[in-house]
Amino acid sequence: MHAFRSAVEAGDLDAVAALLAEDVVFTSPVVFKPYTGKAITAAILRAVSQVFEDFRYVREFGAPDSPDHALVFTARVGGRELTGCDFLHVNEEGLIDDLMVMVRPLSGAHALAEAMGARFEQIAEEAQAGS
């Protein structure tokens, strides 16, 4: 099991942040432009942990020694069920330098965008404090 999955499942968001490279690129399922940097990515992941209900990983792809992993999850947002996937790439130091999230269906993506949009000011403040 990938360390990221273990940390997320344990609800240990400090451990999640510790696995991120300083220059990590986070690609959101609901925003066109990727976010770059550990502080903003960690802040987004903290907010997502508050938005997702009944979150659980259901499948994992990637050999233990591979730099690429895919973690399929299910969750609810505002009463909408969704399925998603975290695509991770780890650098030579073993830190996540690329994290792309995709979700479906469209109604779930809309619910996620709305819930995260309502928290964007808080996310930006947390990221600024963490920089």
Side-chain angles (χ1 to χ4, degrees), residues 14-94:
D14 291 334
V16 169
L19 293 169
L20 301 175
E22 288 298 326
D23 62 348
V24 63
V25 174
F26 175 76
T27 305
S28 165
V30 296
V31 177
F32 176 74
K33 183 180 175 193
Y35 296 95
T36 301
K38 182 175 183 171
I40 187 68
T41 301
I44 290 168
L45 294 176
R46 285 185 194 283
V48 166
S49 74
Q50 298 167 3
V51 167
F52 281 156
E53 302 167 31
D54 300 326
F55 177 91
R56 67 186 181 97
Y57 284 115
V58 295
R59 296 175 77 183
E60 181 172 345
F61 300 94
D65 59 344
S66 171
D68 295 298
H69 301 270
L71 304 169
V72 180
F73 62 86
T74 60
R76 284 185 305 109
V77 177
R80 298 286 186 178
E81 305 255 343
L82 62 84
T83 301
C85 190
D86 294 335
F87 294 95
L88 312 172
H89 181 270
V90 295
N91 62 20
E92 293 174 1
E93 290 80 39

Side-chain angles (χ1 to χ4, degrees), residues 84-125:
C85 190
D86 294 335
F87 294 95
L88 312 172
H89 181 270
V90 295
N91 62 20
E92 293 174 1
E93 290 80 39
L95 298 174
I96 298 167
D97 62 2
D98 189 63
L99 171 56
M100 178 175 58
V101 180
M102 293 186 165
V103 298
R104 66 158 310 279
L106 185 57
S107 61
H110 283 303
L112 179 59
E114 184 177 315
M116 290 299 289
R119 288 170 169 75
F120 190 76
E121 188 174 318
Q122 170 193 344
I123 292 168
E125 289 173 7

